[in-house]
PDB file of all heavy atoms in Angstrom:
ATOM      1  N   LYS A 246     257.896 -70.669 194.950  1.00  0.00           N
ATOM      2  CA  LYS A 246     258.026 -71.339 193.663  1.00  0.00           C
ATOM      3  C   LYS A 246     257.196 -70.624 192.605  1.00  0.00           C
ATOM      4  O   LYS A 246     257.642 -70.425 191.473  1.00  0.00           O
ATOM      5  CB  LYS A 246     257.577 -72.798 193.785  1.00  0.00           C
ATOM      6  CG  LYS A 246     257.706 -73.591 192.483  1.00  0.00           C
ATOM      7  CD  LYS A 246     257.246 -75.019 192.673  1.00  0.00           C
ATOM      8  CE  LYS A 246     257.434 -75.808 191.379  1.00  0.00           C
ATOM      9  NZ  LYS A 246     256.732 -75.225 190.239  1.00  0.00           N
ATOM     10  N   GLU A 247     255.976 -70.229 192.983  1.00  0.00           N
ATOM     11  CA  GLU A 247     255.132 -69.513 192.033  1.00  0.00           C
ATOM     12  C   GLU A 247     255.772 -68.191 191.632  1.00  0.00           C
ATOM     13  O   GLU A 247     255.764 -67.808 190.466  1.00  0.00           O
ATOM     14  CB  GLU A 247     253.745 -69.261 192.638  1.00  0.00           C
ATOM     15  CG  GLU A 247     252.918 -70.528 192.865  1.00  0.00           C
ATOM     16  CD  GLU A 247     252.320 -71.053 191.581  1.00  0.00           C
ATOM     17  OE1 GLU A 247     252.411 -70.352 190.562  1.00  0.00           O
ATOM     18  OE2 GLU A 247     251.778 -72.163 191.595  1.00  0.00           O
ATOM     19  N   ARG A 248     256.338 -67.481 192.595  1.00  0.00           N
ATOM     20  CA  ARG A 248     256.926 -66.171 192.293  1.00  0.00           C
ATOM     21  C   ARG A 248     258.214 -66.312 191.486  1.00  0.00           C
ATOM     22  O   ARG A 248     258.547 -65.448 190.679  1.00  0.00           O
ATOM     23  CB  ARG A 248     257.190 -65.399 193.585  1.00  0.00           C
ATOM     24  CG  ARG A 248     255.897 -64.925 194.248  1.00  0.00           C
ATOM     25  CD  ARG A 248     256.176 -63.810 195.228  1.00  0.00           C
ATOM     26  NE  ARG A 248     254.962 -63.360 195.864  1.00  0.00           N
ATOM     27  CZ  ARG A 248     254.118 -62.492 195.332  1.00  0.00           C
ATOM     28  NH1 ARG A 248     254.338 -62.023 194.130  1.00  0.00           N
ATOM     29  NH2 ARG A 248     253.035 -62.108 195.973  1.00  0.00           N
ATOM     30  N   GLU A 249     258.979 -67.385 191.706  1.00  0.00           N
ATOM     31  CA  GLU A 249     260.173 -67.595 190.895  1.00  0.00           C
ATOM     32  C   GLU A 249     259.786 -67.796 189.436  1.00  0.00           C
ATOM     33  O   GLU A 249     260.404 -67.249 188.530  1.00  0.00           O
ATOM     34  CB  GLU A 249     260.949 -68.814 191.408  1.00  0.00           C
ATOM     35  CG  GLU A 249     261.677 -68.557 192.725  1.00  0.00           C
ATOM     36  CD  GLU A 249     262.308 -69.824 193.266  1.00  0.00           C
ATOM     37  OE1 GLU A 249     262.171 -70.870 192.601  1.00  0.00           O
ATOM     38  OE2 GLU A 249     262.935 -69.768 194.335  1.00  0.00           O
ATOM     39  N   ASP A 250     258.743 -68.586 189.203  1.00  0.00           N
ATOM     40  CA  ASP A 250     258.279 -68.779 187.840  1.00  0.00           C
ATOM     41  C   ASP A 250     257.704 -67.492 187.278  1.00  0.00           C
ATOM     42  O   ASP A 250     257.793 -67.218 186.082  1.00  0.00           O
ATOM     43  CB  ASP A 250     257.202 -69.880 187.791  1.00  0.00           C
ATOM     44  CG  ASP A 250     257.763 -71.231 188.207  1.00  0.00           C
ATOM     45  OD1 ASP A 250     258.998 -71.381 188.139  1.00  0.00           O
ATOM     46  OD2 ASP A 250     256.981 -72.106 188.616  1.00  0.00           O
ATOM     47  N   PHE A 251     257.120 -66.677 188.149  1.00  0.00           N
ATOM     48  CA  PHE A 251     256.472 -65.438 187.713  1.00  0.00           C
ATOM     49  C   PHE A 251     257.500 -64.381 187.323  1.00  0.00           C
ATOM     50  O   PHE A 251     257.376 -63.693 186.333  1.00  0.00           O
ATOM     51  CB  PHE A 251     255.589 -64.912 188.842  1.00  0.00           C
ATOM     52  CG  PHE A 251     254.916 -63.609 188.535  1.00  0.00           C
ATOM     53  CD1 PHE A 251     253.780 -63.578 187.755  1.00  0.00           C
ATOM     54  CD2 PHE A 251     255.420 -62.425 189.034  1.00  0.00           C
ATOM     55  CE1 PHE A 251     253.156 -62.380 187.477  1.00  0.00           C
ATOM     56  CE2 PHE A 251     254.803 -61.226 188.764  1.00  0.00           C
ATOM     57  CZ  PHE A 251     253.663 -61.208 187.977  1.00  0.00           C
ATOM     58  N   ILE A 252     258.572 -64.277 188.129  1.00  0.00           N
ATOM     59  CA  ILE A 252     259.551 -63.218 187.922  1.00  0.00           C
ATOM     60  C   ILE A 252     260.694 -63.670 187.025  1.00  0.00           C
ATOM     61  O   ILE A 252     261.091 -62.989 186.098  1.00  0.00           O
ATOM     62  CB  ILE A 252     260.097 -62.730 189.282  1.00  0.00           C
ATOM     63  CG1 ILE A 252     258.954 -62.156 190.121  1.00  0.00           C
ATOM     64  CG2 ILE A 252     261.184 -61.696 189.094  1.00  0.00           C
ATOM     65  CD1 ILE A 252     259.354 -61.800 191.531  1.00  0.00           C
ATOM     66  N   GLY A 253     261.232 -64.837 187.284  1.00  0.00           N
ATOM     67  CA  GLY A 253     262.439 -65.255 186.589  1.00  0.00           C
ATOM     68  C   GLY A 253     262.213 -66.271 185.505  1.00  0.00           C
ATOM     69  O   GLY A 253     263.050 -67.146 185.295  1.00  0.00           O
ATOM     70  N   GLY A 254     261.092 -66.217 184.846  1.00  0.00           N
ATOM     71  CA  GLY A 254     260.806 -67.184 183.800  1.00  0.00           C
ATOM     72  C   GLY A 254     261.721 -66.997 182.609  1.00  0.00           C
ATOM     73  O   GLY A 254     262.364 -65.951 182.437  1.00  0.00           O
ATOM     74  N   PRO A 255     261.842 -68.018 181.766  1.00  0.00           N
ATOM     75  CA  PRO A 255     262.717 -67.914 180.610  1.00  0.00           C
ATOM     76  C   PRO A 255     262.220 -66.857 179.647  1.00  0.00           C
ATOM     77  O   PRO A 255     261.032 -66.736 179.378  1.00  0.00           O
ATOM     78  CB  PRO A 255     262.636 -69.318 179.989  1.00  0.00           C
ATOM     79  CG  PRO A 255     261.329 -69.861 180.458  1.00  0.00           C
ATOM     80  CD  PRO A 255     261.111 -69.289 181.826  1.00  0.00           C
ATOM     81  N   GLY A 256     263.155 -66.043 179.134  1.00  0.00           N
ATOM     82  CA  GLY A 256     262.798 -65.021 178.179  1.00  0.00           C
ATOM     83  C   GLY A 256     262.674 -65.602 176.782  1.00  0.00           C
ATOM     84  O   GLY A 256     262.900 -66.787 176.539  1.00  0.00           O
ATOM     85  N   LYS A 257     262.308 -64.761 175.854  1.00  0.00           N
ATOM     86  CA  LYS A 257     262.158 -65.198 174.476  1.00  0.00           C
ATOM     87  C   LYS A 257     263.533 -65.454 173.885  1.00  0.00           C
ATOM     88  O   LYS A 257     264.394 -64.577 173.903  1.00  0.00           O
ATOM     89  CB  LYS A 257     261.418 -64.123 173.669  1.00  0.00           C
ATOM     90  CG  LYS A 257     261.097 -64.555 172.251  1.00  0.00           C
ATOM     91  CD  LYS A 257     260.319 -63.472 171.534  1.00  0.00           C
ATOM     92  CE  LYS A 257     259.978 -63.917 170.113  1.00  0.00           C
ATOM     93  NZ  LYS A 257     259.237 -62.870 169.389  1.00  0.00           N
ATOM     94  N   PRO A 258     263.798 -66.667 173.361  1.00  0.00           N
ATOM     95  CA  PRO A 258     265.130 -66.962 172.843  1.00  0.00           C
ATOM     96  C   PRO A 258     265.426 -66.161 171.590  1.00  0.00           C
ATOM     97  O   PRO A 258     264.538 -65.855 170.797  1.00  0.00           O
ATOM     98  CB  PRO A 258     265.059 -68.461 172.548  1.00  0.00           C
ATOM     99  CG  PRO A 258     263.613 -68.732 172.317  1.00  0.00           C
ATOM    100  CD  PRO A 258     262.879 -67.787 173.220  1.00  0.00           C
ATOM    101  N   ARG A 259     266.709 -65.817 171.415  1.00  0.00           N
ATOM    102  CA  ARG A 259     267.134 -65.108 170.217  1.00  0.00           C
ATOM    103  C   ARG A 259     267.097 -66.075 169.045  1.00  0.00           C
ATOM    104  O   ARG A 259     267.573 -67.204 169.151  1.00  0.00           O
ATOM    105  CB  ARG A 259     268.537 -64.548 170.403  1.00  0.00           C
ATOM    106  CG  ARG A 259     268.951 -63.554 169.320  1.00  0.00           C
ATOM    107  CD  ARG A 259     270.358 -63.060 169.583  1.00  0.00           C
ATOM    108  NE  ARG A 259     270.724 -61.993 168.677  1.00  0.00           N
ATOM    109  CZ  ARG A 259     270.500 -60.714 168.908  1.00  0.00           C
ATOM    110  NH1 ARG A 259     269.890 -60.364 170.019  1.00  0.00           N
ATOM    111  NH2 ARG A 259     270.869 -59.785 168.054  1.00  0.00           N
ATOM    112  N   LYS A 260     266.569 -65.663 167.948  1.00  0.00           N
ATOM    113  CA  LYS A 260     266.426 -66.572 166.831  1.00  0.00           C
ATOM    114  C   LYS A 260     266.902 -65.903 165.551  1.00  0.00           C
ATOM    115  O   LYS A 260     267.034 -64.680 165.465  1.00  0.00           O
ATOM    116  CB  LYS A 260     264.968 -66.997 166.676  1.00  0.00           C
ATOM    117  CG  LYS A 260     263.996 -65.855 166.407  1.00  0.00           C
ATOM    118  CD  LYS A 260     262.581 -66.373 166.313  1.00  0.00           C
ATOM    119  CE  LYS A 260     261.597 -65.227 166.055  1.00  0.00           C
ATOM    120  NZ  LYS A 260     260.211 -65.694 165.967  1.00  0.00           N
ATOM    121  N   LYS A 261     267.188 -66.746 164.567  1.00  0.00           N
ATOM    122  CA  LYS A 261     267.605 -66.292 163.253  1.00  0.00           C
ATOM    123  C   LYS A 261     266.671 -66.886 162.220  1.00  0.00           C
ATOM    124  O   LYS A 261     266.284 -68.045 162.330  1.00  0.00           O
ATOM    125  CB  LYS A 261     269.046 -66.723 162.959  1.00  0.00           C
ATOM    126  CG  LYS A 261     270.058 -66.216 163.977  1.00  0.00           C
ATOM    127  CD  LYS A 261     271.413 -66.810 163.716  1.00  0.00           C
ATOM    128  CE  LYS A 261     272.402 -66.409 164.804  1.00  0.00           C
ATOM    129  NZ  LYS A 261     273.721 -67.029 164.610  1.00  0.00           N
ATOM    130  N   LYS A 262     266.343 -66.094 161.229  1.00  0.00           N
ATOM    131  CA  LYS A 262     265.455 -66.574 160.187  1.00  0.00           C
ATOM    132  C   LYS A 262     266.225 -67.455 159.229  1.00  0.00           C
ATOM    133  O   LYS A 262     267.336 -67.134 158.816  1.00  0.00           O
ATOM    134  CB  LYS A 262     264.825 -65.398 159.446  1.00  0.00           C
ATOM    135  CG  LYS A 262     263.750 -65.834 158.461  1.00  0.00           C
ATOM    136  CD  LYS A 262     263.074 -64.627 157.840  1.00  0.00           C
ATOM    137  CE  LYS A 262     261.970 -65.079 156.891  1.00  0.00           C
ATOM    138  NZ  LYS A 262     261.292 -63.918 156.279  1.00  0.00           N
ATOM    139  N   LEU A 263     265.647 -68.555 158.844  1.00  0.00           N
ATOM    140  CA  LEU A 263     266.262 -69.535 157.963  1.00  0.00           C
ATOM    141  C   LEU A 263     265.500 -69.556 156.661  1.00  0.00           C
ATOM    142  O   LEU A 263     264.312 -69.871 156.628  1.00  0.00           O
ATOM    143  CB  LEU A 263     266.240 -70.917 158.610  1.00  0.00           C
ATOM    144  CG  LEU A 263     266.915 -72.045 157.846  1.00  0.00           C
ATOM    145  CD1 LEU A 263     268.396 -71.769 157.705  1.00  0.00           C
ATOM    146  CD2 LEU A 263     266.695 -73.363 158.558  1.00  0.00           C
ATOM    147  N   GLN A 264     266.174 -69.185 155.564  1.00  0.00           N
ATOM    148  CA  GLN A 264     265.529 -69.144 154.256  1.00  0.00           C
ATOM    149  C   GLN A 264     266.078 -70.272 153.392  1.00  0.00           C
ATOM    150  O   GLN A 264     267.275 -70.330 153.123  1.00  0.00           O
ATOM    151  CB  GLN A 264     265.777 -67.801 153.576  1.00  0.00           C
ATOM    152  CG  GLN A 264     265.110 -66.637 154.300  1.00  0.00           C
ATOM    153  CD  GLN A 264     265.345 -65.319 153.604  1.00  0.00           C
ATOM    154  OE1 GLN A 264     266.232 -65.212 152.781  1.00  0.00           O
ATOM    155  NE2 GLN A 264     264.542 -64.328 153.945  1.00  0.00           N
ATOM    156  N   VAL A 265     265.202 -71.157 152.973  1.00  0.00           N
ATOM    157  CA  VAL A 265     265.567 -72.288 152.143  1.00  0.00           C
ATOM    158  C   VAL A 265     264.738 -72.217 150.870  1.00  0.00           C
ATOM    159  O   VAL A 265     263.530 -71.954 150.914  1.00  0.00           O
ATOM    160  CB  VAL A 265     265.311 -73.625 152.881  1.00  0.00           C
ATOM    161  CG1 VAL A 265     265.749 -74.798 152.016  1.00  0.00           C
ATOM    162  CG2 VAL A 265     266.036 -73.640 154.207  1.00  0.00           C
ATOM    163  N   LEU A 266     265.390 -72.433 149.729  1.00  0.00           N
ATOM    164  CA  LEU A 266     264.668 -72.367 148.461  1.00  0.00           C
ATOM    165  C   LEU A 266     263.578 -73.421 148.409  1.00  0.00           C
ATOM    166  O   LEU A 266     263.752 -74.526 148.945  1.00  0.00           O
ATOM    167  CB  LEU A 266     265.641 -72.569 147.298  1.00  0.00           C
ATOM    168  CG  LEU A 266     266.666 -71.447 147.094  1.00  0.00           C
ATOM    169  CD1 LEU A 266     267.596 -71.809 145.960  1.00  0.00           C
ATOM    170  CD2 LEU A 266     265.972 -70.124 146.814  1.00  0.00           C
ATOM    171  N   PRO A 267     262.454 -73.123 147.759  1.00  0.00           N
ATOM    172  CA  PRO A 267     261.368 -74.110 147.669  1.00  0.00           C
ATOM    173  C   PRO A 267     261.848 -75.407 147.032  1.00  0.00           C
ATOM    174  O   PRO A 267     262.525 -75.397 146.010  1.00  0.00           O
ATOM    175  CB  PRO A 267     260.323 -73.409 146.790  1.00  0.00           C
ATOM    176  CG  PRO A 267     260.610 -71.961 146.968  1.00  0.00           C
ATOM    177  CD  PRO A 267     262.081 -71.850 147.145  1.00  0.00           C
ATOM    178  N   GLY A 268     261.489 -76.522 147.623  1.00  0.00           N
ATOM    179  CA  GLY A 268     261.890 -77.828 147.135  1.00  0.00           C
ATOM    180  C   GLY A 268     263.115 -78.392 147.813  1.00  0.00           C
ATOM    181  O   GLY A 268     263.363 -79.594 147.749  1.00  0.00           O
ATOM    182  N   ASN A 269     263.932 -77.535 148.464  1.00  0.00           N
ATOM    183  CA  ASN A 269     265.116 -78.001 149.171  1.00  0.00           C
ATOM    184  C   ASN A 269     264.773 -78.301 150.622  1.00  0.00           C
ATOM    185  O   ASN A 269     263.790 -77.798 151.159  1.00  0.00           O
ATOM    186  CB  ASN A 269     266.231 -76.952 149.109  1.00  0.00           C
ATOM    187  CG  ASN A 269     266.784 -76.809 147.705  1.00  0.00           C
ATOM    188  OD1 ASN A 269     266.676 -77.732 146.901  1.00  0.00           O
ATOM    189  ND2 ASN A 269     267.352 -75.649 147.414  1.00  0.00           N
TER     190      ASN A 269
END
């Protein structure tokens, strides 16, 4: 169990930057 978490842990999710005008 420790090695599964060590080797196959979740990777960094792909993300998109969200730009919202100030005040919105």
Side-chain angles (χ1 to χ4, degrees):
K246 181 180 182 303
E247 293 283 351
R248 289 199 180 277
E249 287 174 0
D250 296 339
F251 177 80
I252 299 173
K257 186 178 181 181
R259 192 180 187 89
K260 61 182 179 180
K261 302 173 185 177
K262 187 175 182 180
L263 183 63
Q264 294 181 343
V265 182
L266 293 177
N269 291 336

